[in-house]
Amino acid sequence: MSKFTIINPTTEKPVKDIELADLAATDLVIAKAEKAFHTWRKVNPGDRARLLRSFAAIVDSHIEELAQLEVLNSGHTIGNARWEAGNVRDVLNYYSAAPERLFGKQIPVPNGIDITFKEPLGVIGIIVPWNFPMPIAGWGFGPALAAGNTVVLKPAEITPMTAIRLGELAIMAGIPEGVFNIIPGKGSLVGERFVTNPLVRKIVFTGSTTVGKGIMRGCADQVKRLTLELGGKSANIIFADSDIQKAAANAPGAVFDNAGQDCCARSRLLVQRSVFDKFMAEFETAVKKFRVEDPALESAEMGPLVSATQLARVQEYLPPGTPIAFQGTKPEGPGYWFAPTVLLPKDASDRAYREEIFGPVVSVLPFEDEADAIRIANDSEYGLSGSIWSRDIGRAIRVSRAVEAGNLSVNSNSSVRYWTPFGGYKQSGLGRELGPDALDAFTEVKNVFFDTQE
Ligand code: NAP
Ligand code: MG
């Protein structure tokens, strides 16, 4: 077994060594999860529901501890980290209602009765990225466990601390051994093994589009079920008829939240030309006020980037000569800090405008009218999220129907509500998480015909 030293992104100091699983250890845990599946699937629906509710209650009583771990490991602001831990609790509570409501159908057929069942798949392999270690894990394991599956979960190598703690809390809540397993390790090793080990019946992957495509190819060998949540380059579309002040005041949070390390970040800001200057003046004030500071402070709106590697990746997008309109502030001294940055690209061919940067960088382009806004918004291989700001309800409906993205908000920048489906169009993903539909992703439909003829 090898080790990985976790670095606090705010201080650049080592926090702790984590043991990484090798292939043999990974296979052992997968086998354990497969064994546990045969008993977990048979736990009475009411008992499975109670266990999930007690898991949620234990998470609830550990919100502060989990949040502090995320500040330490990932540099998330304490406010965000508390929301993230609370989201795990909420997702568990939401899906605790599922075991008792996994309805099939009774379909009229000649000569008998026909019933469908929603059967669990078996062991689910969840591969989590470093940007939202808690919520992204919960969106997988909540519905997966509720539907009667067992789980092996690989956190990102650099951000495993909250996942490891959630694994311990599950045991404290009475979830049986082997049902919910955390396997810290490298993607190229543990993650890859989830794809190749035939005992893993489905992969839930969130991360980069490049790695996601490789996993999709790998899953083809076993026709393994797969959900993908990949990158984004979402548009925040500001129409002249919107509440410009409100849209501008909210635009920094829409892209700089979590230091821009968010697949839903509105990293393309499209502003109608007639209000461009007015909007940009208000936006500049808001960006300069955006509080980038020690994420442990209650007032922090943005912390550092997660790692030195990510800082270098972001910096690479701003070579000398980059058309920077203005920047926010950042602290001096240690930490992987990058100031909120607003770019004015020459046109839509600009690299920083087209590619997912995953840092606090936004590119602004003007548009002429509604048709122009839709054309520019859809000129991307991605289609995850986005916002439309307009007071004209007809326009808001037309544009939200026309933008090719899975999750849109009108006069708001929020993307995630656990009650509603979440996922991407185009190269932003495959399948949906959260909401009532997520259970379909963790079950197979079985059809059984009963001949009733004498
Ligand atoms: P990544 O390489 O796609 O990592 C995501 C997860 O997949 C991690 O747990 C990773 O493990 C694992 N992984 C890596 N290679 C794998 C493989 N061959 N087989 C199975 N699993 C594998 O993402 P990243 O390197 O952390 O970030 C790179 C870029 O991806 C970011 O700059 C951003 O643009 C994008 N990204 C998007 C999201 C999103 O939510 N859509 C999230 C994260 C990153 P290890 O990290 O432990 O090796
Ligand atoms: Mg990687």
Side-chain angles (χ1 to χ4, degrees):
M1 289 225 183
S2 59
K3 284 197 159 96
F4 180 83
T5 304
I6 290 177
I7 306 290
N8 180 338
T10 309
T11 61
E12 301 184 35
K13 293 213 168 84
V15 174
K16 182 176 184 169
D17 285 346
I18 301 284
E19 282 207 353
L20 302 179
D22 57 18
L23 279 185
T26 305
D27 282 342
L28 271 177
V29 182
I30 292 171
K32 197 170 99 179
E34 205 277 332
K35 190 156 174 271
F37 171 61
H38 299 285
T39 46
W40 178 244
R41 69 176 303 182
K42 292 194 188 113
V43 171
N44 285 338
D47 290 334
R48 210 157 62 220
R50 259 190 296 283
L51 284 168
L52 291 174
R53 284 195 285 271
S54 96
F55 189 6
I58 296 256
V59 171
D60 188 51
S61 61
H62 289 78
I63 297 259
E64 192 58 28
E65 182 198 330
L66 288 163
Q68 295 292 350
L69 280 178
E70 208 64 272
V71 175
L72 195 67
N73 190 165
S74 312
H76 289 198
T77 63
I78 183 64
N80 276 10
R82 287 188 189 118
W83 181 91
E84 291 160 18
N87 182 257
V88 175
R89 171 205 55 211
D90 294 344
V91 168
L92 282 167
N93 271 328
Y94 180 78
Y95 288 107
S96 74
E100 295 165 297
R101 294 167 178 80
L102 265 183
F103 304 122
K105 290 186 179 119
Q106 179 268 310
I107 302 171
V109 290
N111 306 325
I113 304 176
D114 196 281
I115 304 177
T116 67
F117 297 88
K118 288 195 176 166
E119 305 279 19
L121 297 166
V123 180
I124 310 288
I126 303 176
I127 302 172
V128 181
W130 45 258
N131 61 324
F132 287 115
M134 283 190 277
I136 290 172
W139 304 354
F141 70 69
L145 296 175
N149 304 282
T150 55
V151 166
V152 289
L153 184 146
K154 192 202 87 65
E157 187 183 11
I158 61 172
T159 60
M161 290 178 78
T162 47
I164 292 170
R165 189 65 184 134
L166 286 167
E168 294 165 355
L169 297 181
I171 297 290
M172 279 165 66
I175 304 280
E177 284 279 348
V179 169
F180 177 46
N181 310 277
I182 309 298
I183 315 181
K186 284 187 187 305
S188 52
L189 214 126
V190 177
E192 185 62 38
R193 196 58 169 180
F194 289 2
V195 176
T196 55
N197 187 318
L199 295 178
V200 177
R201 306 300 289 272
K202 166 161 187 155
I203 300 287
V204 178
F205 171 82
T206 306
S208 61
T209 298
T210 312
V211 173
K213 286 177 182 175
I215 287 178
M216 196 170 179
R217 279 184 210 107
C219 283
D221 273 346
Q222 297 167 23
V223 194
K224 195 169 285 198
R225 276 60 180 144
L226 175 66
T227 299
L228 295 172
E229 296 292 355
L230 309 174
K233 194 75 191 181
S234 298
N236 188 4
I237 310 173
I238 319 288
F239 284 98
D241 61 18
S242 67
D243 180 341
I244 300 290
Q245 233 175 351
K246 189 173 169 196
N250 282 285
V255 58
F256 303 142
D257 188 65
N258 207 34
Q261 303 164 124
D262 181 345
C263 45
C264 291
R266 276 75 167 155
S267 51
R268 294 186 299 148
L269 187 46
L270 311 182
V271 184
Q272 194 154 17
R273 197 182 294 280
S274 57
V275 290
F276 194 85
D277 293 343
K278 181 171 178 304
F279 177 89
M280 289 302 275
E282 305 245 12
F283 183 45
E284 180 165 3
T285 309
V287 170
K288 293 201 162 144
K289 275 203 314 222
F290 205 70
R291 294 185 70 103
V292 183
E293 58 190 1
D294 180 350
L297 296 173
E298 298 286 334
S299 53
E301 291 179 287
M302 186 181 125
L305 293 171
V306 73
S307 65
T309 309
Q310 192 59 16
L311 178 61
R313 262 190 212 145
V314 175
Q315 270 161 346
E316 206 198 289
Y317 277 94
L318 287 98
T322 300
I324 296 177
F326 46 85
Q327 284 184 295
T329 61
K330 64 168 179 148
E332 293 302 317
Y336 307 125
W337 302 100
F338 196 91
T341 299
V342 179
L343 305 180
L344 284 174
K346 198 163 63 344
D347 55 45
S349 68
D350 183 85
R351 180 170 170 245
Y353 172 85
R354 299 206 74 81
E355 294 181 16
E356 180 176 50
I357 298 177
F358 236 55
V361 181
V362 65
S363 299
V364 195
L365 276 187
F367 67 85
E368 304 303 334
D369 54 20
E370 196 177 304
D372 201 30
I374 294 166
R375 181 188 60 75
I376 298 174
N378 287 341
D379 175 24
S380 170
E381 70 199 24
Y382 294 115
L384 189 54
S385 190
S387 298
I388 296 134
W389 291 79
S390 170
R391 282 184 171 120
D392 178 336
I393 183 138
R395 162 169 289 157
I397 292 171
R398 284 192 303 275
V399 177
S400 54
R401 296 296 302 272
V403 172
E404 298 161 347
N407 315 273
L408 294 163
S409 303
V410 174
N411 297 326
S412 157
N413 297 312
S414 84
S415 302
V416 170
R417 287 160 298 272
Y418 61 84
W419 309 267
T420 59
F422 177 85
Y425 274 39
K426 300 192 271 190
Q427 294 193 30
S428 284
L430 187 71
R432 291 294 179 269
E433 301 192 278
L434 297 176
D437 306 344
L439 292 161
D440 291 342
F442 295 105
T443 50
E444 290 279 12
V445 174
K446 178 182 284 173
N447 189 71
V448 183
F449 169 71
F450 299 84
D451 191 326
T452 55
Q453 296 175 100
E454 285 189 63

